[in-house]
Each structure stands twice: as structure tokens, then as C-alpha cells.
């Protein structure tokens, strides 16, 4: 009997449990009416009279120890629950829905990455600008229509403070304080005073490219543009350059790519021409280099500018420009797989 009591004593001392049900099972095992300790009390009457005193004491001690142990286990469990505010940290978590990147950010980064592979680095400038950086330094005539109230948002007149109408202003900002070689790509938001519709908005996004060094030629420009078009729209893409006019480039051109929807065969998107226009470009006008303090007898350069919305439309066929700024989650979630 004494051996059995000592064995149970040891067993009970080393009990552990991490759940309320486990503790209850232990209580039943040892302390309930049919439990092991009660069984010993039942056997007590068979103990020889001279041992009764000693065994009785040991039995009572065992019962007290077991009761204390069960209470201690219960307390430890409720402390642990308090620590975690009653939350079961072992449960699996609910899945968190992930956000998606904005299609314009995806396309902007893709364009910048392609030019980065050609050695271009990113430059940025302010959206609130002055006349010099947006117009005068870029060879715009005093009476150029782009300066008109109808196109430009003016914040203040004389001296003019305005919202930039293109990212070409960043060209000037960089050239003013950097001598060539300059090879930059400038993404940013621009503003024009236009009525908002599916095809026009009062703000949109552009990327400007500029490369100025000794011996930069139109052939370098064409090579960079072809590389860009193939990387962006696929290796079968063809380009064509049409003569155009911009005040800050001479000669100037507009670039078309073979329509990436019909492969150049002609469809409603390319108005059955097989070509779609994607950017403006040209050789930097010597007047612009000189206005920024760069010697046009030593250096030449090329520049290019494109609308990010336009490129995004071509890649993802977004029919309405307004979708880009409405933050409709159903639209944004369509680009989940795009990055
Ligand atoms: N700044 C022009 C625009 O907003 C785009 C552009 C055309 C930029 C030709 C250039 C360029 O650098 O060479 O329409």
C-alpha cells in the first residue's frame, strides 16, 4: 500500500496538461469517486491496525497533493489564456487579401527598367513649375499656344507659376546643373486644362528620355527606340518614324509601332492602318542645349517623350482613361497577375 501511495505521489508531481479537458481527465483519473486515490481509501480498511495511523496520514497527504496539483494546472492554463487575451494562437490565421499595384505603376516601372538596361538613370522634377523650365528653356516661342490659359493650369501670373504640362521640364532641370554625358529617364505626372472624357484627362503621366554626349546621332535614337519597342511589345514589333515638329527638337519625329493587337494586319484599334503612334522624339535643338549651359558645338543629344496611359492602353486595352484615377477596386484587381 505504501509503495502504491509513493508511486502515485511521484506520478502526480510530474503531471502536465495544456488543455482544460486534459486537466479534467486527470482529476477524474485520480480524485473522482472511482479514481485511483479513492480506490486506495477503499482499501484502507484492509490495512493492519498498527499501520493505519501512518498509512492514513500518507493517504491524506496524497489526496491533498493531487488536489493542489490539479488546481495549479488550472491556474497556469488560465494565466496563459490571459496573456493572449483569450485568443488561441495555435489556430491557423485567416488569409489576408493582398493589394495590387496600379497598372500605371506597373507599366512605368517596366519602361524605366528597359531604359535602365541601356544605361539610363531616373531623374525627377517638381510638378509645380515656372515658365522657364516648362516653356522658355525648351525653345517655345513667346506666343506658342501651349502657354495659353486653355492648355496650362496657372497658379499665378507674372512671375508665372504653373503645373507642368510635360515632363520635358526635367530635361532642363538636369542639364542646368550637369555636364554631359547625361542619360536620364524621367517619369512623372503632368497637367493640362482639358475637359475630362474617356479619351482625355486633366492629369496624366509621361516618361521623358534624354541622352546628351559627344557624337550622339539620330541613328542612336532609332536604335534605342527599336530596342524599347521590342522589349515592351514583343520581338516581332516593328517601328516607323514619321517627321513631326516639337519646339525643343530638330529634326523631330513621331514613332509608330506595328499594331500589337492585329500584328499589323489592320483592326479597329489601329483604324485599319496596322500602325499605332506611341511617342514623340528628336535631336535636342541646339538652342535648348545652349539655354541650359551646354556647348552645342561639342555636344549633341536625343530626347523622347511618351504617355504612360497610352502605353498601358496598348498593353492592356483600357478603353476609358478615367478608370486610371477612379480607384475602382474591380478594375485594379484585374492587374493582380500583371506583376
Ligand atoms: N513633351 C512632349 C509632349 O508633351 C513629348 C515629347 C516629344 C518629348 C518629343 C520629347 C520629344 O522629349 O523629343 O507632347
Amino acid at each position: 500500500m505504501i509503495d502504491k501511495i509513493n508511486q502515485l505521489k511521484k506520478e502526480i508531481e510530474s503531471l502536465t496538461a495544456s488543455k482544460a479537458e486534459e486537466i479534467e481527465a486527470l482529476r477524474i483519473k485520480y480524485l473522482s469517486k472511482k479514481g485511483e486515490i479513492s480506490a486506495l481509501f477503499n482499501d484502507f480498511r484492509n490495512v493492519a491496525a498498527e499501520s493505519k495511523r501512518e498509512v492514513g496520514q500518507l493517504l491524506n497527504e496524497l489526496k491533498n497533493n493531487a488536489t493542489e496539483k490539479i488546481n495549479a494546472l488550472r491556474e497556469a492554463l488560465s494565466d496563459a489564456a490571459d496573456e493572449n487575451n483569450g485568443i488561441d494562437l495555435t489556430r491557423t490565421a485567416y488569409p489576408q487579401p493582398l493589394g495590387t499595384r496600379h497598372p500605371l505603376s506597373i507599366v512605368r516601372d517596366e519602361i524605366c527598367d528597359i531604359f535602365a538596361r541601356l544605361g539610363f538613370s531616373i531623374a525627377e522634377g517638381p510638378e509645380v513649375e515656372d515658365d522657364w523650365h516648362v516653356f522658355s528653356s525648351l525653345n517655345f516661342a513667346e506666343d506658342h499656344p501651349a502657354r495659353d490659359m486653355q492648355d496650362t493650369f496657372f497658379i499665378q501670373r507674372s512671375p508665372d507659376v504653373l503645373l507642368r504640362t510635360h515632363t520635358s521640364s526635367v530635361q532642363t532641370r538636369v542639364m542646368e546643373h550637369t555636364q554631359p554625358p547625361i542619360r536620364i529617364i524621367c517619369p512623372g505626372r503632368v497637367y493640362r486644362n482639358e475637359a475630362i472624357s474617356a479619351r482625355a484627362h486633366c492629369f496624366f503621366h509621361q516618361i521623358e528620355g534624354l541622352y546628351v554626349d559627344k557624337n550622339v546621332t539620330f541613328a542612336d535614337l532609332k536604335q534605342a527606340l527599336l530596342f524599347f519597342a521590342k522589349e515592351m511589345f514583343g520581338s516581332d514589333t516593328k517601328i516607323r518614324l514619321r517627321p513631326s515638329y516639337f519646339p525643343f527638337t530638330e529634326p523631330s519625329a513621331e514613332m509608330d509601332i506595328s499594331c500589337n493587337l492585329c500584328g499589323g494586319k489592320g483592326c479597329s484599334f489601329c483604324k485599319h492602318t496596322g500602325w499605332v503612334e506611341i511617342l514623340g522624339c528628336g535631336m535636342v535643338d541646339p538652342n535648348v542645349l545652349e539655354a541650359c549651359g551646354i556647348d552645342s558645338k561639342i555636344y549633341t543629344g536625343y530626347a523622347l517623350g511618351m504617355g504612360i496611359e497610352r502605353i498601358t492602353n496598348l498593353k492592356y486595352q483600357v478603353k476609358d482613361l478615367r478608370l486610371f484615377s477612379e480607384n475602382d477596386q474591380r478594375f485594379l484587381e484585374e492587374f493582380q497577375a500583371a506583376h
Side-chain angles (χ1 to χ4, degrees):
M1 181 96 171
I2 292 179
D3 285 352
K4 179 75 184 162
I5 293 173
N6 285 335
Q7 186 206 327
L8 273 182
K9 197 177 164 196
K10 272 198 192 138
E11 200 176 304
I12 288 167
E13 270 167 17
S14 62
L15 289 179
T16 57
S18 57
K19 290 195 190 110
E21 304 92 85
E22 285 172 17
I23 298 173
E24 180 59 10
L26 291 174
R27 189 194 65 78
I28 291 168
K29 182 172 183 221
Y30 295 108
L31 291 167
S32 67
K33 271 194 189 142
K34 289 187 179 163
E36 295 190 28
I37 295 174
S38 309
L40 288 178
F41 273 102
N42 287 339
D43 287 349
F44 185 66
R45 59 190 135 92
N46 303 326
V47 172
E50 66 273 18
S51 307
K52 270 199 162 48
R53 193 182 153 85
E54 186 196 358
V55 174
Q57 252 178 12
L58 286 173
L59 259 182
N60 278 329
E61 231 174 76
L62 178 66
K63 190 178 174 185
N64 289 340
N65 285 356
T67 311
E68 273 168 27
K69 180 73 187 185
I70 296 286
N71 287 342
L73 285 174
R74 281 189 183 138
E75 239 168 70
L77 189 71
S78 83
D79 282 356
D82 281 352
E83 242 170 59
N84 301 324
N85 291 326
I87 297 167
D88 179 358
L89 294 183
T90 60
R91 275 189 61 165
T92 44
Y94 292 108
Q96 282 287 339
L98 284 180
T100 56
R101 301 190 56 225
H102 194 283
L104 293 177
S105 305
I106 296 170
V107 171
R108 177 201 58 209
D109 290 352
E110 204 177 334
I111 298 169
C112 290
D113 281 352
I114 294 171
F115 279 95
R117 277 179 251 146
L118 291 174
F120 286 73
S121 47
I122 292 186
E124 285 178 329
E127 293 177 13
V128 178
E129 268 291 6
D130 51 31
D131 176 273
W132 169 254
H133 290 95
V134 178
F135 298 125
S136 298
S137 64
L138 293 167
N139 206 32
F140 278 78
E142 208 46 59
D143 55 356
H144 194 283
R147 294 173 181 241
D148 205 309
M149 269 302 223
Q150 270 126 47
D151 282 309
T152 306
F153 286 115
F154 285 92
I155 290 169
Q156 177 192 298
R157 293 317 285 266
S158 57
D160 288 346
V161 178
L162 47 97
L163 297 179
R164 67 180 176 192
T165 57
H166 55 181
T167 44
S168 304
S169 53
V170 187
Q171 283 190 25
T172 303
R173 292 219 166 252
V174 171
M175 283 194 284
E176 270 176 344
H177 57 75
T178 322
Q179 280 300 306
I182 295 169
R183 204 166 358 195
I184 50 165
I185 192 91
C186 324
R189 181 174 288 174
V190 301
Y191 301 83
R192 286 185 201 177
N193 195 355
E194 303 237 17
I196 297 170
S197 71
R199 311 175 117 257
H201 212 296
C202 58
F203 62 79
F204 53 100
H205 301 80
Q206 287 189 333
I207 293 199
E208 185 81 14
L210 175 72
Y211 176 31
V212 184
D213 203 349
K214 288 176 185 153
N215 302 320
V216 177
T217 68
F218 202 93
D220 297 319
L221 169 62
K222 197 172 165 189
Q223 191 63 31
L225 291 175
L226 182 62
F227 175 79
F228 165 70
K230 284 178 182 285
E231 290 289 297
M232 193 75 202
F233 297 104
S235 54
D236 295 337
T237 310
K238 295 185 186 60
I239 64 168
R240 78 175 180 190
L241 291 163
R242 287 177 289 101
S244 184
Y245 173 78
F246 301 102
F248 34 89
T249 44
E250 182 59 38
S252 304
E254 273 167 320
M255 180 171 97
D256 299 341
I257 58 165
S258 49
C259 178
N260 68 329
L261 290 188
C262 62
K265 288 190 198 74
C267 65
S268 61
F269 189 78
C270 60
K271 301 196 187 83
H272 303 282
T273 62
W275 296 95
V276 283
E277 184 199 320
I278 66 161
L279 56 79
C281 58
M283 299 306 292
V284 181
D285 194 301
N287 289 345
V288 175
L289 295 174
E290 294 293 337
C292 298
I294 291 175
D295 190 339
S296 64
K297 285 185 223 54
I298 304 176
Y299 296 108
T300 52
Y302 68 68
L304 58 103
M306 68 185 103
I308 303 180
E309 278 82 351
R310 174 114 188 111
I311 307 284
T312 310
N313 285 349
L314 266 168
K315 269 211 103 135
Y316 299 114
Q317 286 89 56
V318 180
K319 299 256 154 42
D320 189 329
L321 265 181
R322 289 169 291 197
L323 283 167
F324 288 126
S325 50
E326 277 169 358
N327 278 340
D328 184 332
Q329 231 168 316
R330 291 166 303 177
F331 170 70
L332 297 172
E333 278 166 6
E334 286 181 37
F335 297 89
Q336 201 125 35
H339 50 94

